[in-house]
CSV table of all heavy atoms in Angstrom, one decimal:
chain,number,residue,atom,x,y,z
A,208,HIS,N,45.9,71.5,-16.4
A,208,HIS,CA,45.6,71.2,-15.0
A,208,HIS,C,45.0,69.7,-15.0
A,208,HIS,O,43.9,69.5,-15.4
A,208,HIS,CB,44.4,72.1,-14.4
A,208,HIS,CG,44.1,72.0,-13.0
A,208,HIS,ND1,42.8,71.5,-12.7
A,208,HIS,CD2,44.8,72.1,-11.9
A,208,HIS,CE1,42.8,71.4,-11.4
A,208,HIS,NE2,44.0,71.9,-10.8
A,209,PHE,N,45.9,68.8,-14.5
A,209,PHE,CA,45.4,67.4,-14.7
A,209,PHE,C,44.1,67.0,-14.0
A,209,PHE,O,43.4,66.2,-14.7
A,209,PHE,CB,46.7,66.5,-14.1
A,209,PHE,CG,46.5,65.1,-14.4
A,209,PHE,CD1,46.6,64.6,-15.7
A,209,PHE,CD2,46.1,64.2,-13.3
A,209,PHE,CE1,46.4,63.2,-15.8
A,209,PHE,CE2,45.9,62.8,-13.6
A,209,PHE,CZ,46.1,62.4,-14.8
A,210,PRO,N,43.9,67.4,-12.8
A,210,PRO,CA,42.5,66.9,-12.3
A,210,PRO,C,41.4,67.3,-13.2
A,210,PRO,O,40.4,66.6,-13.3
A,210,PRO,CB,42.5,67.6,-10.8
A,210,PRO,CG,44.0,67.8,-10.6
A,210,PRO,CD,44.7,68.1,-11.8
A,211,SER,N,41.4,68.6,-13.6
A,211,SER,CA,40.4,69.2,-14.5
A,211,SER,C,40.3,68.3,-15.9
A,211,SER,O,39.3,68.0,-16.3
A,211,SER,CB,40.6,70.5,-14.7
A,211,SER,OG,40.4,71.4,-13.6
A,212,LYS,N,41.4,68.0,-16.3
A,212,LYS,CA,41.6,67.2,-17.6
A,212,LYS,C,40.9,65.9,-17.4
A,212,LYS,O,40.1,65.4,-18.3
A,212,LYS,CB,43.1,67.0,-17.9
A,212,LYS,CG,43.3,66.3,-19.2
A,212,LYS,CD,44.7,66.2,-19.5
A,212,LYS,CE,45.0,65.4,-20.8
A,212,LYS,NZ,46.4,65.3,-21.3
A,213,VAL,N,41.2,65.2,-16.3
A,213,VAL,CA,40.5,63.9,-16.0
A,213,VAL,C,38.9,64.0,-15.9
A,213,VAL,O,38.3,63.3,-16.6
A,213,VAL,CB,41.1,63.2,-14.7
A,213,VAL,CG1,40.3,61.9,-14.5
A,213,VAL,CG2,42.5,62.9,-15.0
A,214,LYS,N,38.6,65.0,-15.2
A,214,LYS,CA,37.2,65.3,-15.0
A,214,LYS,C,36.5,65.6,-16.3
A,214,LYS,O,35.4,65.0,-16.5
A,214,LYS,CB,37.0,66.4,-14.0
A,214,LYS,CG,35.5,66.9,-13.7
A,214,LYS,CD,35.5,68.1,-12.9
A,214,LYS,CE,34.0,68.7,-12.9
A,214,LYS,NZ,34.0,69.8,-12.0
A,215,MET,N,37.1,66.3,-17.1
A,215,MET,CA,36.4,66.7,-18.3
A,215,MET,C,36.3,65.6,-19.3
A,215,MET,O,35.3,65.5,-20.1
A,215,MET,CB,37.2,68.0,-19.0
A,215,MET,CG,36.9,69.3,-18.2
A,215,MET,SD,35.2,69.6,-18.0
A,215,MET,CE,35.3,71.0,-17.0
A,216,TYR,N,37.4,64.8,-19.4
A,216,TYR,CA,37.4,63.6,-20.3
A,216,TYR,C,36.4,62.5,-19.8
A,216,TYR,O,35.9,61.7,-20.6
A,216,TYR,CB,38.8,63.0,-20.5
A,216,TYR,CG,39.5,63.7,-21.7
A,216,TYR,CD1,40.5,64.6,-21.3
A,216,TYR,CD2,39.2,63.5,-23.0
A,216,TYR,CE1,41.2,65.3,-22.4
A,216,TYR,CE2,39.8,64.2,-24.0
A,216,TYR,CZ,40.8,64.9,-23.6
A,216,TYR,OH,41.5,65.7,-24.7
A,217,LEU,N,36.0,62.5,-18.6
A,217,LEU,CA,35.0,61.7,-18.1
A,217,LEU,C,33.6,62.3,-18.3
A,217,LEU,O,32.5,61.6,-18.6
A,217,LEU,CB,35.2,61.4,-16.7
A,217,LEU,CG,36.3,60.5,-16.2
A,217,LEU,CD1,36.4,60.4,-14.8
A,217,LEU,CD2,36.1,59.1,-16.9
A,218,ARG,N,33.5,63.6,-18.2
A,218,ARG,CA,32.2,64.2,-18.5
A,218,ARG,C,31.9,64.6,-19.8
A,218,ARG,O,30.5,64.5,-20.1
A,218,ARG,CB,32.3,65.6,-17.7
A,218,ARG,CG,31.1,66.6,-18.0
A,218,ARG,CD,31.4,67.9,-17.3
A,218,ARG,NE,30.4,69.0,-17.6
A,218,ARG,CZ,30.3,69.7,-18.6
A,218,ARG,NH1,31.3,69.7,-19.7
A,218,ARG,NH2,29.4,70.6,-18.9
A,219,GLU,N,32.7,64.8,-20.7
A,219,GLU,CA,32.6,65.3,-22.1
A,219,GLU,C,31.7,64.2,-22.9
A,219,GLU,O,30.8,64.7,-23.7
A,219,GLU,CB,33.8,65.8,-22.7
A,219,GLU,CG,33.6,66.5,-24.0
A,219,GLU,CD,32.7,67.8,-23.9
A,219,GLU,OE1,32.8,68.4,-22.8
A,219,GLU,OE2,32.2,68.2,-24.8
A,220,PRO,N,32.1,62.9,-22.9
A,220,PRO,CA,31.2,62.1,-23.6
A,220,PRO,C,29.8,62.0,-23.4
A,220,PRO,O,29.0,62.0,-24.3
A,220,PRO,CB,31.8,60.6,-23.2
A,220,PRO,CG,33.3,61.0,-22.9
A,220,PRO,CD,33.1,62.2,-22.2
A,221,LEU,N,29.4,62.3,-22.2
A,221,LEU,CA,27.8,62.4,-21.7
A,221,LEU,C,27.4,63.8,-22.2
A,221,LEU,O,26.3,63.9,-22.7
A,221,LEU,CB,27.8,62.4,-20.2
A,221,LEU,CG,28.3,61.1,-19.5
A,221,LEU,CD1,28.1,61.2,-17.9
A,221,LEU,CD2,27.8,59.8,-20.1
A,222,ALA,N,28.2,64.8,-22.2
A,222,ALA,CA,27.8,66.1,-22.7
A,222,ALA,C,27.7,66.0,-24.2
A,222,ALA,O,26.7,66.7,-24.8
A,222,ALA,CB,28.8,67.2,-22.5
A,223,LEU,N,28.5,65.2,-24.9
A,223,LEU,CA,28.3,65.2,-26.3
A,223,LEU,C,27.0,64.4,-26.7
A,223,LEU,O,26.3,64.8,-27.8
A,223,LEU,CB,29.6,64.4,-26.8
A,223,LEU,CG,29.5,64.1,-28.4
A,223,LEU,CD1,29.7,65.5,-29.2
A,223,LEU,CD2,30.7,63.2,-28.8
A,224,ALA,N,26.7,63.4,-26.0
A,224,ALA,CA,25.4,62.6,-26.2
A,224,ALA,C,24.3,63.6,-26.0
A,224,ALA,O,23.3,63.7,-26.8
A,224,ALA,CB,25.3,61.5,-25.3
A,225,LYS,N,24.4,64.4,-24.9
A,225,LYS,CA,23.2,65.3,-24.6
A,225,LYS,C,23.2,66.4,-25.7
A,225,LYS,O,21.9,66.7,-26.1
A,225,LYS,CB,23.5,65.9,-23.2
A,225,LYS,CG,22.6,67.1,-22.8
A,225,LYS,CD,23.0,68.4,-23.1
A,225,LYS,CE,22.1,69.5,-22.6
A,225,LYS,NZ,22.5,70.9,-23.0
A,226,SER,N,24.2,66.8,-26.1
A,226,SER,CA,24.0,68.0,-27.1
A,226,SER,C,23.6,67.4,-28.5
A,226,SER,O,22.8,68.0,-29.2
A,226,SER,CB,25.5,68.6,-27.4
A,226,SER,OG,25.9,69.3,-26.3
A,227,PHE,N,24.0,66.2,-28.8
A,227,PHE,CA,23.4,65.6,-30.1
A,227,PHE,C,22.1,65.3,-30.0
A,227,PHE,O,21.3,65.5,-31.0
A,227,PHE,CB,24.1,64.1,-30.2
A,227,PHE,CG,23.7,63.4,-31.4
A,227,PHE,CD1,24.1,63.6,-32.6
A,227,PHE,CD2,22.7,62.4,-31.4
A,227,PHE,CE1,23.7,63.0,-33.8
A,227,PHE,CE2,22.4,61.6,-32.4
A,227,PHE,CZ,22.8,62.0,-33.7
A,228,LEU,N,21.5,64.9,-28.7
A,228,LEU,CA,20.0,64.6,-28.8
A,228,LEU,C,19.1,65.9,-28.4
A,228,LEU,O,18.0,66.0,-29.0
A,228,LEU,CB,19.9,63.6,-27.6
A,228,LEU,CG,20.4,62.3,-27.8
A,228,LEU,CD1,20.3,61.5,-26.5
A,228,LEU,CD2,19.7,61.5,-28.9
A,229,PHE,N,19.6,67.0,-27.8
A,229,PHE,CA,18.7,67.8,-27.2
A,229,PHE,C,19.1,69.4,-27.6
A,229,PHE,O,18.1,70.2,-27.6
A,229,PHE,CB,18.8,67.9,-25.7
A,229,PHE,CG,18.2,66.6,-25.2
A,229,PHE,CD1,19.1,65.7,-24.5
A,229,PHE,CD2,16.8,66.2,-25.4
A,229,PHE,CE1,18.5,64.4,-24.0
A,229,PHE,CE2,16.5,65.0,-24.9
A,229,PHE,CZ,17.2,64.1,-24.2
Side-chain angles (χ1 to χ4, degrees):
H208 186 249
F209 186 73
S211 295
K212 181 177 182 178
V213 173
K214 176 183 176 182
M215 290 303 176
Y216 272 105
L217 291 175
R218 171 187 177 275
E219 193 60 27
L221 303 178
L223 181 62
K225 176 261 181 186
S226 287
F227 177 77
L228 294 171
F229 300 112

